[in-house]
């Protein structure tokens, strides 16, 4: 069950758009930007507010890979596994992140909700390969050792707030 603040923020977002089906994508983009994911309950709420079926809202939201229905950590770490990054050894970086954080493909977010680790097909930073992003900030020429140091730095920042 979501806190009432989720619904209040959703109402603020929805007030910026016409109550029409064509507003669905920008509304869920804004919701994801604010919450780092699209809570399923909120997607149902939005569907009702726009006068469309939940099935329609889910079919649109699930079509786009960018939308996530799973809560993410404060720090979303994306490891590029595109061709340039892969041949420059992004796999050992991912393995180190999983090891440092006790994560896996099946469990991408830490229990304290501080970190989420994802792989992506391309970050668009091929000249900086292997590349990793943390909350969309690019970290170039990553190594497993640099990844471990980055996690320690972020842990310090995350626990300070």
């Amino acid at each position: 069950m979501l806190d009432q603040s989720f619904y209040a923020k959703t109402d603020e977002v929805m007030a910026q758009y016409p109550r029409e089906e064509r507003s669905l994508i920008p509304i869920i983009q804004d919701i994801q930007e604010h919450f780092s994911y699209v809570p399923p309950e909120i997607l149902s709420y939005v569907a009702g507010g726009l006068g469309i079926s939940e099935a329609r809202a889910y079919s649109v939201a699930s079509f786009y890979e960018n939308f996530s229905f799973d809560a993410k950590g404060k720090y979303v770490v994306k490891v590029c596994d595109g061709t340039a990054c892969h041949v420059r050894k992004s796999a050992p970086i991912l393995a180190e992140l999983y090891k440092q954080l006790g994560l896996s493909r099946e469990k991408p977010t830490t229990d304290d909700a501080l970190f989420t680790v994802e792989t992506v097909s391309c970050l668009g930073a091929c000249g900086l390969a292997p590349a990793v992003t943390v909350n969309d900030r690019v970290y170039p020429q990553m190594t497993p050792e640099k990844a471990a140091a980055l996690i320690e730095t972020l842990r310090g920042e995350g626990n300070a707030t």
Side-chain angles (χ1 to χ4, degrees):
M1 181 156 218
L2 292 177
D3 181 270
Q4 185 57 36
S5 64
F6 280 77
Y7 295 96
K9 182 61 181 177
T10 300
D11 287 337
E12 286 177 30
V13 169
M14 289 177 64
Q16 299 173 33
Y17 297 95
R19 297 287 175 127
E20 302 170 355
E21 184 175 353
R22 67 184 174 94
S23 299
L24 179 62
I25 291 174
I27 288 171
I28 58 179
Q29 284 174 320
D30 289 356
I31 288 168
Q32 180 160 296
E33 186 175 323
H34 184 76
F35 299 121
S36 298
Y37 76 113
V38 180
E41 302 92 332
I42 293 297
L43 187 58
S44 297
Y45 182 74
V46 169
L50 295 178
I52 61 174
S53 70
E54 288 183 35
R56 178 67 180 147
Y58 277 94
S59 70
V60 170
S62 63
F63 176 79
Y64 295 99
E65 189 176 299
N66 189 46
F67 294 127
S68 173
F69 297 116
D70 299 316
K72 296 187 182 207
K74 177 178 180 179
Y75 299 109
V76 178
V77 181
K78 295 181 182 180
V79 179
C80 182
D81 197 37
T83 303
C85 290
H86 185 78
V87 299
R88 291 190 179 140
K89 307 211 183 302
S90 62
I93 296 163
L94 179 63
E96 181 65 23
L97 290 168
Y98 282 160
K99 179 179 136 193
Q100 288 284 322
L101 298 169
L103 297 176
S104 65
R105 286 193 193 277
E106 295 75 35
K107 183 184 184 241
T109 301
T110 57
D111 292 335
D112 62 3
L114 196 56
F115 294 96
T116 296
V117 175
E118 303 175 338
T119 57
V120 294
S121 298
C122 186
L123 291 171
C126 300
L128 305 174
V132 168
T133 63
V134 177
N135 296 350
D136 298 323
R137 179 176 175 201
V138 178
Y139 292 84
Q141 286 97 34
M142 188 56 66
T143 65
E145 296 78 20
K146 287 181 182 179
L150 177 59
I151 293 303
E152 287 309 310
T153 299
L154 294 173
R155 271 193 179 125
E157 290 175 11
N159 292 327
T161 54

